[in-house]
Amino acid sequence: MDKRDFAFDKVNYILLAIGMAVVVLGFLLMSGSGSTETAYNPDIFSARRIKVAPLVCLAGFVSMIYAVVRRPKA
């Protein structure tokens, strides 16, 4: 079987795994305790949850798209 028959090579899979890890990291940055009916938690509006985590997730999704679109070397 020739290597050119495969859509992805080893580098594509590595880039996909890195992209998935970055997306998971972004979701972990978004997580945390929330407010309850009796106690208000102002941390739910922190810059980490509102700005940083979505940008990290976006970077992970973009890198995953690049990993899928990237053409393996012949």
Side-chain angles (χ1 to χ4, degrees):
M1 190 183 288
D2 195 13
K3 281 190 139 190
R4 286 182 270 165
D5 292 340
F6 295 114
F8 290 164
D9 63 349
K10 183 178 179 181
V11 177
N12 290 82
Y13 287 114
I14 291 171
L15 290 173
L16 273 172
I18 290 170
M20 288 183 73
V22 171
V23 170
V24 169
L25 175 69
F27 278 105
L28 288 175
L29 287 173
M30 277 190 244
S31 68
S33 61
S35 295
T36 62
E37 292 181 15
T38 57
Y40 172 71
N41 184 4
D43 191 41
I44 61 173
F45 298 112
S46 68
R48 182 194 69 182
R49 289 185 179 181
I50 299 295
K51 296 177 184 173
V52 176
L55 288 176
V56 171
C57 286
L58 179 67
F61 284 124
V62 168
S63 66
M64 288 174 62
I65 290 170
Y66 172 74
V68 170
V69 173
R70 181 186 170 275
R71 186 174 300 192
K73 303 283 191 239

